[in-house]
Amino acid sequence: MVIIKTREEIEKMQQAGKILSDCHKEIAKIIKPGISTLEIDQFVEAFLKKRNAIPEQKGYQGYPYAICASVNDEICHGFPRKELLKDGDIVTVDMVVNLDGWLADSAWSYAVGNISDEAKELLDVTKKALYIGIEKAVVGNRIGDISHAIQTYVESEGFSVVRDFVGHGIGKDMHEDPQVPHFGRPGRGLRLMEGMVLTIEPMVNIGTYGCKIDDNQWTARTLDGKLSAQYEHTLAITKDGPIIITEQ
Ligand code: MF3
Ligand code: CO
């Protein structure tokens, strides 16, 4: 069941989104060779506490950390760890912020120091894929229009889009209906209505889209060991077009 949000509820989610986007801006400043993803996790917990917000991922279905930090061939749900990031790594930091019971969800991929041209291209294409999807998030379109636009663009650039993880509705719960795949056919799926709040969060791989799950039962990584990136925003569908809740 899709839960439609009122104008006031969307405003509350925007307040959570503002904290989240401020937090990503701070992460962008501190990410460099020699920092660990565990330090970033601790930074985020402290940052959210100062803003009276809660890291919703911590404890969610037993997930142990405030952020997911997915390095290089890790697609998503990477565990923060003590190991130091190195020049040339890419890392996706994903988090869900809870402010007074209302959530916002956003992931961003970061370059650590100087990265290869191929890695740069992967980050550029993945970010652009997110915004191409957001452009399709208008009243009257269908979910499949978002999915298809993302897939077509990513594949035209020679990369692949992950099938096993999808975007989702969000509100007081992290995962609500509908699912938002990043691949699919235009004109299919649920019709977008004013008041829907969704995430779009393409994970894009340089090689095959296949993935495997680590022994920790969470972390997904590419089957072929090649790089993967992800950008995610939470957005509200309105009659005046999408409001990006996690970009402020
Ligand atoms: N932020 C992720 C998403 O986009 C959720 C990660 S799963 C968790 O859905 F357990 F870490 F929360
Ligand atoms: Co999400």
Side-chain angles (χ1 to χ4, degrees), residues 56-57 60-61 63 68 77 94-96 105 166 168 174-175 199 201 218 230 232:
E56 185 73 6
Q57 291 187 157
Y60 177 82
Q61 294 183 1
Y63 185 78
C68 301
H77 305 162
D94 187 7
M95 76 184 89
V96 179
D105 184 1
V166 297
H168 48 91
M174 191 191 302
H175 295 132
T199 73
E201 49 182 297
W218 277 100
Q230 181 183 27
E232 170 181 27

Side-chain angles (χ1 to χ4, degrees), residues 202-224:
M203 284 141 273
V204 174
N205 296 354
I206 284 184
T208 165
Y209 60 75
C211 64
K212 58 188 178 205
I213 304 291
D214 282 1
D215 288 342
N216 66 17
Q217 301 301 325
W218 277 100
T219 307
R221 65 178 69 239
T222 59
L223 265 181
D224 56 14

